[in-house]
């Protein structure tokens, strides 16, 4: 584009320069011509004046023709003199001279003075192509004669012009060339910033680098243009940077959104939605190629307690660590996802056999039962795992997940920290559980529960108290053991209502029950782990005892060893208050959960209840007998009462009594019976 500007510019410059040169040349020639004429005129004037002066004396003395000719011959030195004549005053031609430049024509051949006097004035006359000097010889008043010299002007002028041209042409050409060259260079210099700008524009186009700056040294408008382009580049660059930033923000937002949509923000694992989609695809593929997919549903044991005890921050860190740990037990291609809370799903691809499934599950169970260090805390959790295969649910997605969940639930029920493989019968169990959970509400609302009382006796078989045990006979499901419905109630959030019902009912029946006994006896009521965490329970209990005018010392609260220890701080606080009220505390199922007994000194306790499994093994297993005697021994040292439960034989009773057991409870002394039956039995005694 710039080169196309150059061409017309150069043309204009050349034409202008040449015109100027030509114009100057013409002016110079004209000037030269004028000067030349003037100079020739003055020369001829001088010459003719000299000649006429010299002629004066010749004409005065004699009109010697030869002398006159001689004088005229001086004109020979002037090559442009065409001819010259000397006339007398009377008009007689005395002498003539003809120069080389012109042969005389007819008139000139016979010139007469009158001819000259008619045409020319005395003096110098310039006529077209010739110069005429018409002089008076001698003083004008005393004229001796006339001298006429005609000088050619054309030829010498042409010659002089030619000579002048010859002289100045090379100079002119030089000047014009130099001027053109200079102008060309100047133009180039003027336009080079423009071509640099063009190169710059191409560079920007090629590199897309808008931070480039035109570094162009121009002048005037070019400098301004370069500056303007620089500013424009700044503006473009700023805009580009802003756009880039905006795009980056959008991209990272998009990524974050994708991640948010598909991944769990805490662990970075695929979330439920994403995982379920993956599973759907994998199930469909497995069904198509006659293969199978296995699903591991696992839930942490005791995670809620970690959260309660150490705070959510530690809980979160624990989940992250666990996710990492579990990932390391999986094969390439297995996918783990966090469902939420402490629940995880693992898809085992490639139709794993039972060995592979259980191997992975066992590794997770083992791995998670190891202590995990978070900050300064040593944390113990466990994993309950359920395993199911897609084929068991006929490749139905939701049924597949629900089967794994059921198996996991079974692991929980069977003592946690284990895995269970789903079997069909669990489905039936599940239906029953759902029905039980549903029917609890109705049972509460319509007083379908009853309290049974099982005696606790001393070594002389005298009743010292009763354990209050809940009974439920459902219209639809028949008799349901509390061992079955209590855990369901715990899981579906209905245990608090049940406990409230039991406590109130016990208070209602308290007086009547006491009246069946000779002396006041202690009633032991069971609390579940969830009750301990119920912040309003203590107020409820004290209010009930007050309302029913019951001395708290006649009430004992039984809590399992595991429930107590899993909520140690809360339990300590709760039971300390009950103690203060005057009630007593018994540790139920003692010996089943914890190997360390050191905690016994740290908790509020009145009675240890030795679990039935030890009593069952008395006399059978030496180890059991040893544990039982050790426990009794230790308890008496700690000033605790010992109650053995599940005593069914005389031998068991005797052994326990012999070793210092304070209280005995079991079918040998009495099964749990209704208040009516307690009354009947009292009447019989
Ligand atoms: P638990 O507290 O260990 O209660 C003792 C269980 O052992 C009772 O079963 C009782 O009937 C049974 N038992 C007593 N002596 C013998 C014996 O000599 N032989 C045999 N085979 N069994 C004996 P039950 O009444 O079925 O209660 C089961 C569990 O249900 C209880 O275990 C307790 O944990 C829970 N439970 C019962 N009533 C309540 C309640 O009102 N509230 C709460 N939270 N839990 C309750
Ligand atoms: Ca109990
Ligand atoms: Ca028990």
């Amino acid at each position: 584009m710039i080169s196309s500007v150059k061409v017309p510019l150069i043309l204009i410059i050349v034409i202008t320069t040449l015109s100027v040169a030509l114009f100057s040349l013409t002016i110079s020639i004209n000037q030269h011509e004028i000067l030349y004429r003037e100079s020739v005129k003055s020369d001829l004037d001088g010459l003719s004046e000299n000649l006429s002066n010299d002629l004066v004396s010749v004409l005065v003395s004699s009109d010697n023709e030869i002398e006159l000719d001689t004088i005229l011959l001086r004109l020979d030195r002037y090559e442009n003199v065409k001819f010259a004549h000397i006339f007398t005053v009377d008009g007689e031609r005395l002498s003539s001279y003809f120069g080389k430049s012109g042969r005389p024509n007819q008139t000139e051949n016979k010139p007469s003075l009158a001819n000259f006097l008619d045409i020319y004035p005395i003096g110098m006359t310039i006529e077209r192509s010739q110069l005429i000097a018409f002089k008076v010889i001698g003083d004008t008043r005393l004229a001796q004669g006339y001298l006429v010299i005609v000088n050619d002007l054309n030829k010498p002028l042409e010659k002089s012009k030619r000579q002048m041209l010859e002289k100045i042409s090379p100079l002119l050409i030089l000047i014009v060339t130099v001027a053109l060259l200079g102008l060309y260079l100047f133009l180039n210099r003027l336009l080079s910033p423009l071509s640099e700008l063009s190169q710059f524009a191409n560079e920007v186009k090629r590199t897309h680098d808008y931070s480039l700056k035109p570094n162009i040294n121009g002048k005037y408008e070019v400098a301004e243009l370069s500056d303007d382009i620089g500013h424009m580049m700044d503006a473009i660059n700023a805009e580009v940077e802003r756009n880039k930033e905006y795009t980056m923000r959008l991209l990272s937002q998009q990524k974050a959104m994708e991640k948010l949509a598909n991944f769990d923000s805490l662990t970075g694992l695929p979330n439920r939605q994403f995982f379920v989609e993956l599973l759907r695809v994998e199930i469909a593929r497995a069904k198509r190629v006659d293969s199978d997919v296995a699903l591991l549903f696992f839930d942490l044991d005791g995670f809620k307690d970690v959260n309660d005890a150490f705070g959510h921050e530690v809980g979160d860190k624990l989940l992250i660590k666990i996710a990492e740990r579990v990932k390391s037990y999986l094969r390439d291609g297995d996918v783990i996802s966090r469902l939420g809370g402490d629940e995880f799903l693992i898809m085992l691809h490639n139709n794993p056999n039972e060995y592979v499934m259980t191997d992975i599950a066992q590794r997770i169970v083992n791995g998670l039962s190891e202590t995990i260090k978070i900050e300064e805390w040593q944390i113990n959790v466990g994993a309950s795992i359920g395993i199911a295969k897609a084929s068991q649910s006929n490749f139905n997605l939701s049924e597949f997940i629900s089967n794994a969940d059921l198996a996991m639930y079974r692991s929980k029920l069977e003592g946690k920290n284990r895995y269970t493989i789903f079997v069909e019968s669990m489905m039936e169990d599940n239906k029953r559980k759902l029905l039980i959970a549903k029917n609890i509400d109705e049972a509460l609302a319509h007083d379908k529960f009853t309290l049974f009382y099982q005696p606790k006796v001393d070594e002389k078989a005298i009743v010292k108290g009763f354990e209050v045990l809940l009974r439920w006979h459902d219209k639809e499901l028949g008799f349901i053991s509390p061992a079955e419905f209590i855990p369901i109630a715990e899981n579906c959030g209905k245990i608090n209502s049940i406990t409230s019902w039991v406590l109130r009912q016990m208070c209602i029946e308290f007086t009547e029950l006491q009246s069946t006994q000779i002396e006041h006896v202690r009633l032991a009521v069971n609390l579940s782990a969830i009750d301990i965490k119920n912040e309003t329970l203590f107020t409820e209990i004290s209010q009930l005892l007050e309302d029913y005018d019951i001395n708290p010392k006649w009430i004992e609260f039984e809590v399992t060893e595991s429930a107590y220890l899993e909520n140690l701080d809360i339990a300590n606080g709760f039971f300390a208050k009950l103690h203060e009220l005057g009630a007593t505390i018994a540790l139920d199922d003692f010996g089943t959960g914890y190997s360390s007994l050191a905690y016994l000194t740290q908790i509020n306790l009145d009675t240890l209840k030795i679990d039935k499994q030890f009593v069952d093994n008395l006399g059978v297993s030496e180890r059991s007998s040893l544990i039982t005697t050790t426990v009794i021994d230790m308890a008496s040292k700690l000033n605790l009462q010992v109650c053995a439960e599940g005593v069914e034989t005389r031998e068991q009773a005797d052994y326990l009594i012999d070793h210092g057991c304070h209280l005995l409870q079991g079918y040998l002394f009495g099964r749990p019976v209704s208040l009516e039956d307690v009354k009947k039995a009292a009447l019989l005694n």
Side-chain angles (χ1 to χ4, degrees):
M1 183 190 146
I2 304 255
S3 60
S4 70
V5 169
K6 247 185 195 171
V7 172
L9 275 177
I10 289 173
L11 271 176
I12 289 169
I13 287 170
V14 169
I15 290 168
T16 314
T17 315
L18 288 179
S19 307
V20 169
L22 262 171
F23 181 68
S24 317
L25 195 66
T26 318
I27 301 255
S28 325
I29 289 171
N30 277 346
Q31 209 61 33
H32 175 78
E33 207 174 308
I34 291 165
L35 285 174
Y36 184 82
R37 279 173 202 270
E38 283 305 315
S39 113
V40 171
K41 186 181 162 190
S42 82
D43 283 357
L44 193 64
D45 194 17
L47 178 68
S48 57
E49 204 63 46
N50 279 343
L51 282 179
S52 58
N53 282 345
D54 292 350
L55 283 171
V56 175
S57 55
V58 179
L59 285 182
V60 170
S61 55
S62 67
D63 45 3
N64 187 339
E65 220 173 294
I66 296 168
E67 233 176 305
L68 289 176
D69 287 346
T70 314
I71 289 175
L72 282 185
L73 272 177
R74 274 198 245 161
L75 291 174
D76 247 3
R77 273 183 284 157
Y78 305 96
E79 56 176 320
N80 297 320
V81 173
K82 285 165 91 177
F83 57 88
H85 301 291
I86 301 167
F87 296 98
T88 63
V89 187
D90 307 324
E92 185 195 348
R93 187 163 55 94
L94 293 174
S95 176
S96 286
Y97 166 80
F98 293 98
K100 294 167 217 154
S101 63
R103 284 289 87 196
N105 58 26
Q106 213 59 10
T107 3
E108 283 163 347
N109 217 0
K110 292 170 223 155
S112 75
L113 182 63
N115 278 352
F116 286 105
L117 281 171
D118 279 353
I119 309 170
Y120 306 113
I122 300 295
M124 301 298 297
T125 304
I126 294 177
E127 187 193 51
R128 275 172 296 136
S129 59
Q130 53 195 11
L131 182 65
I132 299 113
F134 194 9
K135 298 278 172 159
V136 178
I137 302 168
D139 191 74
T140 12
R141 281 160 298 169
L142 265 173
Q144 304 294 319
Y146 293 96
L147 172 68
V148 177
I149 305 173
V150 174
N151 203 28
D152 185 13
L153 257 186
N154 248 7
K155 251 190 261 162
L157 189 60
E158 288 307 315
K159 192 178 168 193
S160 164
K161 272 192 207 165
R162 204 169 44 250
Q163 280 171 346
M164 188 196 81
L165 271 179
E166 273 166 14
K167 244 187 249 165
I168 76 167
S169 288
L171 190 69
L172 195 70
I173 289 170
L174 184 73
I175 290 173
V176 167
T177 314
V178 169
L180 280 177
L181 201 71
L183 278 171
Y184 177 78
L185 289 177
F186 174 69
L187 194 69
N188 242 4
R189 206 175 128 76
L190 200 69
L191 293 182
S192 79
L194 288 180
S195 49
E196 277 174 49
L197 276 180
S198 156
Q199 278 168 14
F200 168 76
N202 282 329
E203 171 87 357
V204 171
K205 192 171 139 193
R206 192 174 53 79
T207 58
H208 293 282
D209 182 355
Y210 301 104
S211 65
L212 291 176
K213 279 281 172 57
N215 183 20
I216 286 146
N217 296 319
K219 279 185 179 166
Y220 319 116
E221 285 85 350
V222 174
E224 216 168 275
L225 179 63
S226 165
D227 273 0
D228 289 346
I229 289 179
H231 294 319
M232 187 182 78
M233 290 304 295
D234 281 346
I236 291 177
N237 194 37
E239 196 57 37
V240 166
E241 286 300 316
R242 252 200 307 279
N243 274 346
K244 239 190 242 171
E245 212 174 282
Y246 185 64
T247 312
M248 293 300 282
R249 236 198 351 259
L250 277 185
L251 272 177
S252 76
Q253 261 170 8
Q254 188 188 342
K255 262 191 198 156
M257 292 297 284
E258 267 168 27
K259 203 153 171 72
L260 216 62
N262 292 329
F263 293 87
D264 170 42
S265 58
L266 182 67
T267 57
L269 296 178
N271 63 16
R272 179 189 202 111
Q273 194 191 326
F274 187 37
F275 180 85
V276 166
E277 278 320 304
L278 289 179
L279 193 62
R280 194 193 303 281
V281 172
E282 193 62 21
I283 290 176
R285 196 195 61 83
K287 189 178 180 183
R288 213 172 42 242
V289 301
D290 206 16
S291 179
D292 211 344
V293 184
L295 192 61
L296 243 74
F297 193 122
F298 88 86
D299 181 293
L300 297 181
D301 302 328
F303 178 71
K304 195 178 177 308
D305 304 326
V306 173
N307 261 346
D308 290 345
F310 302 103
H312 286 269
E313 215 174 295
V314 173
D316 285 352
K317 285 183 181 166
L318 181 69
L319 287 175
I320 295 171
K321 241 196 185 150
I322 282 172
E324 277 167 16
R325 205 179 262 198
V326 172
K327 258 196 275 180
S328 72
Y329 306 135
L330 304 180
R331 308 163 303 166
D332 282 348
D334 293 341
V335 183
I336 174 169
S337 145
R338 180 172 171 234
L339 285 193
D342 58 351
E343 287 182 339
F344 296 81
L345 273 178
I346 299 170
M347 177 170 74
L348 301 178
H349 73 300
N350 218 3
N351 195 13
N353 58 28
E354 191 165 327
Y355 172 76
V356 174
M357 295 193 302
T358 54
D359 179 56
I360 292 174
Q362 191 58 56
R363 279 210 263 168
I364 296 172
V365 168
N366 292 346
L368 294 194
S369 62
E370 280 169 25
T371 300
I372 299 175
K373 194 167 183 288
I374 306 281
E375 290 165 4
E376 67 270 33
W377 313 107
Q378 306 278 347
I379 295 174
N380 289 304
V381 283
S384 293
I385 302 179
I387 306 171
K389 293 200 101 179
S391 52
Q392 291 172 310
S393 60
N394 206 13
F395 298 91
N396 176 298
L397 179 70
S398 57
E399 213 177 294
F400 183 25
I401 298 175
S402 149
N403 287 352
D405 188 13
L406 280 178
M408 185 279 290
Y409 191 72
R410 180 57 60 100
S411 290
K412 287 253 183 235
L413 283 184
E414 284 177 1
K416 304 177 176 173
N417 215 16
R418 69 193 62 219
Y419 66 83
T420 309
I421 297 176
F422 172 81
V423 286
E424 294 290 304
S425 64
M426 287 178 193
M427 290 265 275
E428 289 305 312
D429 285 3
N430 195 44
K431 277 185 201 148
R432 181 176 162 87
K433 270 189 203 113
L434 288 174
L435 203 58
I436 288 174
K438 200 184 89 192
N439 289 3
I440 286 173
D441 288 330
E442 210 217 30
L444 281 169
H446 298 103
D447 277 332
K448 294 286 166 58
F449 291 115
T450 10
L451 293 185
F452 270 41
Y453 297 91
Q454 184 177 29
K456 294 177 179 178
V457 301
D458 65 7
E459 72 277 6
K460 292 182 194 120
I462 295 170
V463 176
K464 291 291 177 182
F466 289 97
E467 177 169 3
V468 182
L469 294 160
L470 189 56
R471 293 292 176 263
W472 180 22
H473 189 93
D474 185 72
K475 262 197 295 195
E476 218 175 324
L477 299 165
F479 175 79
I480 310 163
S481 158
E484 185 180 8
F485 72 78
I486 292 290
I488 295 171
E490 283 175 339
N491 277 329
C492 66
K494 291 173 181 167
I495 189 67
N496 289 340
S497 311
I498 290 181
T499 303
S500 294
W501 187 90
V502 170
L503 290 170
R504 177 170 295 274
Q505 195 59 28
M506 176 191 72
C507 290
I508 292 170
E509 296 178 9
F510 180 86
T511 322
E512 214 173 329
L513 185 94
Q514 295 291 2
S515 68
T516 64
Q517 306 299 309
I518 302 155
E519 279 180 28
H520 250 55
V521 293
R522 189 172 276 163
L523 295 192
V525 62
N526 291 285
L527 292 182
S528 95
I530 291 165
D531 290 323
I532 296 170
K533 291 180 242 171
N534 175 3
E535 284 166 6
T536 60
L537 185 60
F538 174 76
T539 327
E540 192 184 325
I541 291 170
S542 55
Q543 192 60 53
L544 270 175
L545 296 181
E546 200 183 309
D547 288 352
Y548 287 90
D549 197 20
I550 297 170
N551 186 337
K553 76 169 183 184
W554 298 117
I555 307 296
E556 184 159 76
F557 292 93
E558 289 192 9
V559 59
T560 62
E561 192 186 17
S562 55
Y564 200 124
L565 294 178
E566 278 164 17
N567 310 284
L568 192 65
D569 288 339
I570 303 172
N572 263 342
F574 177 71
F575 289 117
K577 283 195 278 184
L578 284 180
H579 246 177
E580 222 169 277
L581 200 66
T584 56
I585 320 296
L587 204 59
D588 211 350
D589 302 346
F590 183 75
T592 51
Y594 291 79
S595 46
S596 162
L597 301 176
Y599 66 84
L600 280 180
T601 54
Q602 298 164 30
I603 65 179
N604 287 296
L605 211 58
D606 303 280
T607 310
L608 278 185
K609 288 191 80 177
I610 297 175
D611 193 72
K612 181 174 179 297
Q613 74 181 71
F614 294 103
V615 177
D616 283 346
N617 287 325
L618 282 179
V620 181
S621 149
E622 226 172 280
R623 195 169 162 271
S624 260
S625 313
L626 190 68
I627 290 173
T628 310
T629 49
T630 314
V631 166
I632 297 169
D633 219 39
M634 186 186 63
S636 60
K637 286 199 180 103
L638 289 170
N639 259 340
L640 297 176
Q641 277 224 313
V642 180
C643 174
E645 50 181 358
V647 183
E648 290 181 345
T649 65
R650 193 63 250 171
E651 289 73 30
Q652 291 167 347
D654 289 342
Y655 184 94
L656 289 161
I657 292 165
D658 285 349
H659 286 87
C661 188
H662 311 101
L663 288 170
L664 305 164
Q665 177 185 359
Y667 292 174
L668 181 67
F669 306 103
R671 291 183 174 248
V673 289
S674 65
L675 178 62
E676 291 309 309
D677 287 343
V678 176
K679 280 198 261 180
K680 274 184 207 153
L683 285 176
L684 287 177
N685 284 341

